[in-house]
Amino acid sequence: DTVKLTPPYGVFTLDDAAPTAVLLSAGIGVTPMINFARALGGKVALAVHVDKSAKAHALKGEFESLLGKKKLLCKYTDGGKRPSAASVAAETISKAGTEHVFYICGPPAWMSEMQAELLKLGAKKVMCEVFGSQLATSCPFAASPPKAEDNSPGAAIEGMLARTVGPSLARTFTEAMPSGGGAKVAVGACAVAAVAAIAFKALR
């Protein structure tokens, strides 16, 4: 028999630039969180876990050793109904605040609900684990509170170019545009950038 192996990969990775983090998991979603806790150490502001019971809570003792009991928030159903995402999010924010990166791993529907509730309460950034089936859902890998809509000429140009050459190159073109001159400069830069973008795409 042949066993095929690949290196570990995925989108659910630590944001090295973030000063602090909150870990939220449900059920077996605790698995990546223990490694996050090991890697982050004192940067973990709070670790939240939802499970059937304390007995079913995997790695609970190791979390207590790594973070201390004061940094753990455990919610057990004990045969009853799982606490709502809204209530868990509210308690999490009340204990830890909003200025962290929030990492979530658990059932897809739960992650989507938790992400929405945390963002609603002002969480700085929320990142979800992503399984194959979730690529077709509305739960993004990472999300932040929505920014004010940008109606500037530069934003319009970047949107148009993004559809031609992709977001990264579009941003490069628009950042190189002159900043003054109003609409005429914007339209002129748009024309030049569009021609360059189309030529670049044809050469790739």
Side-chain angles (χ1 to χ4, degrees), residues 48-126:
V48 182
H49 186 67
V50 180
D51 218 317
K52 295 178 180 178
S53 64
K55 188 176 180 180
H57 185 168
L59 304 169
K60 183 174 184 285
E62 189 163 351
F63 273 99
E64 290 177 347
S65 297
L66 284 169
L67 306 176
K69 291 184 179 182
K70 289 185 178 181
K71 285 191 175 183
L72 294 182
L73 173 59
C74 304
K75 311 296 288 185
Y76 302 128
T77 61
D78 292 318
K81 189 177 179 181
R82 179 190 292 167
S84 69
S87 66
V88 174
E91 191 170 356
T92 298
I93 295 296
S94 71
K95 288 181 176 293
T98 59
E99 295 300 306
H100 315 282
V101 174
F102 293 75
Y103 298 94
I104 309 177
C105 188
W110 181 79
M111 286 196 293
S112 184
E113 291 171 7
M114 282 300 305
Q115 186 177 61
E117 292 296 335
L118 288 168
L119 290 173
K120 192 187 300 182
L121 293 172
K124 183 178 179 182
K125 183 178 181 181
V126 185

Side-chain angles (χ1 to χ4, degrees), residues 92-185:
T92 298
I93 295 296
S94 71
K95 288 181 176 293
T98 59
E99 295 300 306
H100 315 282
V101 174
F102 293 75
Y103 298 94
I104 309 177
C105 188
W110 181 79
M111 286 196 293
S112 184
E113 291 171 7
M114 282 300 305
Q115 186 177 61
E117 292 296 335
L118 288 168
L119 290 173
K120 192 187 300 182
L121 293 172
K124 183 178 179 182
K125 183 178 181 181
V126 185
M127 299 182 68
C128 292
E129 170 64 297
V130 178
F131 303 97
S133 61
Q134 286 173 267
L135 296 175
T137 71
S138 61
C139 183
F141 308 152
S144 299
K147 296 179 180 178
E149 186 176 355
D150 188 351
N151 294 315
S152 67
I157 293 167
E158 185 173 331
M160 183 197 74
L161 292 178
R163 293 189 289 272
T164 306
V165 295
S168 181
L169 282 171
R171 195 171 301 113
T172 300
F173 281 125
T174 51
E175 285 175 354
M177 283 171 46
S179 59
K184 288 183 179 180
V185 170

Side-chain angles (χ1 to χ4, degrees), residues 26-38:
I28 201 60
V30 73
T31 307
M33 297 307 181
I34 191 64
N35 285 322
F36 280 10
R38 290 168 183 155

